[in-house]
Amino acid sequence: MLALCLVLQMSAGVRAAAKVCNQHEELCSRAYNDVTSISTHASFAVTNQTKPTKPGTQFKGINDQLNDGVRGLHFNIMQGSSASEVSLCYPDCTVNNGGTLLDSLKVVKAWLDANKNDVVTIFLEGVDTNASPAAVVKAFTDSGADKYALMGKPESWSTLETMIDDGTTLVVFAEDPNIAAANSKGYFISYKGTVLKLEGPFKYGEEWTCGPWDRSTESIMLIPHYIVQTTTYGGATYDNMPYPFNLGTTNGYQYEFHAVSCRGGQSIWVNFMEVDFYDQGDLKTPTLKMNALPYEGDNKKNFYPEFFDADPDAPIASASTHAVPLSTSWHVALGACLLLSLFNALRI
């Protein structure tokens, strides 16, 4: 009996220190393409929320985004001051110049150094970009971010736990085929045949749509969920400027509606919801729902996607919870052990 108690107590300790992947134990066993994550549109294009001096797509920088649970970063790459430099700009470098690709990659690399149980994805955006493919590759090697990069498109996606154990916690997709082909090591994975990027962005009042409908071998679904406007800045007119209004709605129930609608229309899982001003509204709750994870206010009557076997009786837990509550039977067994220990002590 004493031996059994010792085993139960040791097992309880193991359960309390269970491994987490992207902040949740439940995600460890899921394949990379079976997880829904928030990604930030033009992640680098930061502007001041109270006193903006330039248009931007985010109110917080990349490090804060990652700390807050964002797991997808979108980098719009363009040639910098010379062919050997790559800048991050949106919609161009005269409006919001977010600095160099190298500097942003250094931030990502430092964050991955400190967060070994998280998988981050970078989208290198820009079809027919004027950025030098060689300069893009060099930014990855010079920053050291390449040491975490997944090498080549897998035949099937591994689980998050496997990727973490292998140290391949950075996935890089390249929209421009020339950029994708430039990397001899193969850690730039081409959008073509891999990433199904849905229609978007949208103008205010337009209906969220879920095309195109010609998927072939794509296994990753990326949904642009943000609104743009036509406006003038610096004497030039832009059709794709950020729209920092009605964010409680756009980043609230419309986010959930858009994701669920496209999941129903397409035949693969929703993997990345690309948003502006991620810290406005409530993106956390619908993302937890999409992943069939417990969320605040959860109850048995709420809808759980059938994609995973979710337990309606699962305890409510925040994204940062590491301990796993023990079941009633475990509490009873451990209680019996404590009584036995007390009895033995009194007998002595």
Side-chain angles (χ1 to χ4, degrees), residues 93-152:
C93 294
T94 65
V95 178
N96 193 311
N97 188 329
T100 66
L101 173 62
L102 175 61
D103 287 342
S104 287
L105 288 176
K106 287 180 179 178
V107 173
V108 175
K109 194 265 183 183
W111 194 88
L112 289 173
D113 286 343
N115 296 270
K116 300 295 188 181
N117 286 352
D118 291 89
V119 176
V120 173
T121 300
I122 291 177
F123 297 87
L124 298 176
E125 298 209 322
V127 178
D128 299 324
T129 177
N130 63 353
S132 162
V136 175
V137 174
K138 190 173 186 300
F140 274 83
T141 55
D142 287 354
S143 67
D146 61 326
K147 83 170 193 175
Y148 291 109
L150 178 70
M151 298 295 180

Side-chain angles (χ1 to χ4, degrees), residues 219-302:
S219 57
I220 301 297
M221 191 195 303
L222 167 62
I223 302 181
H225 180 82
Y226 55 93
I227 296 174
V228 296
Q229 61 180 327
T230 300
T231 187
T232 300
Y233 182 83
T237 300
Y238 297 88
D239 291 327
N240 55 348
M241 292 289 258
Y243 186 81
F245 309 105
N246 302 316
L247 294 173
T249 300
T250 302
N251 290 353
Y253 77 87
Q254 288 189 1
Y255 172 94
E256 183 171 4
F257 174 79
H258 194 184
V260 172
S261 297
C262 293
R263 171 65 186 99
Q266 298 286 352
S267 57
I268 57 175
W269 195 244
V270 177
N271 300 115
F272 294 95
M273 293 291 291
E274 181 185 7
V275 300
D276 281 346
F277 310 107
Y278 79 95
D279 57 323
Q280 305 297 299
D282 178 16
L283 302 176
K284 177 182 176 180
T285 299
T287 304
L288 289 171
K289 289 182 181 179
M290 290 295 293
N291 285 316
L293 295 171
Y295 56 93
E296 187 175 354
D298 192 8
N299 61 65
K300 293 181 179 180
K301 296 182 180 179
N302 288 333

Side-chain angles (χ1 to χ4, degrees), residues 21-157:
C21 303
N22 282 19
Q23 300 182 313
H24 296 277
E25 180 192 353
E26 298 91 333
L27 297 183
C28 288
S29 61
R30 298 186 193 172
Y32 171 81
N33 64 329
D34 286 344
V35 177
T36 300
S37 299
I38 301 167
S39 65
T40 47
H41 169 228
S43 311
F44 54 88
V46 178
T47 189
N48 188 287
Q49 183 175 3
T50 56
K51 296 181 179 180
T53 58
K54 59 184 177 182
T57 58
Q58 309 298 331
F59 292 136
K60 292 184 176 181
I62 290 171
N63 195 71
D64 286 335
Q65 294 172 29
L66 294 171
N67 285 337
D68 290 344
V70 170
R71 290 297 175 266
L73 304 171
H74 295 257
F75 292 163
N76 301 65
I77 53 175
M78 303 178 185
Q79 180 176 307
S81 57
S82 66
S84 62
E85 183 180 85
V86 181
S87 291
L88 303 180
C89 302
Y90 185 82
D92 62 31
C93 294
T94 65
V95 178
N96 193 311
N97 188 329
T100 66
L101 173 62
L102 175 61
D103 287 342
S104 287
L105 288 176
K106 287 180 179 178
V107 173
V108 175
K109 194 265 183 183
W111 194 88
L112 289 173
D113 286 343
N115 296 270
K116 300 295 188 181
N117 286 352
D118 291 89
V119 176
V120 173
T121 300
I122 291 177
F123 297 87
L124 298 176
E125 298 209 322
V127 178
D128 299 324
T129 177
N130 63 353
S132 162
V136 175
V137 174
K138 190 173 186 300
F140 274 83
T141 55
D142 287 354
S143 67
D146 61 326
K147 83 170 193 175
Y148 291 109
L150 178 70
M151 298 295 180
K153 176 185 175 182
E155 292 185 7
S156 61
W157 293 99

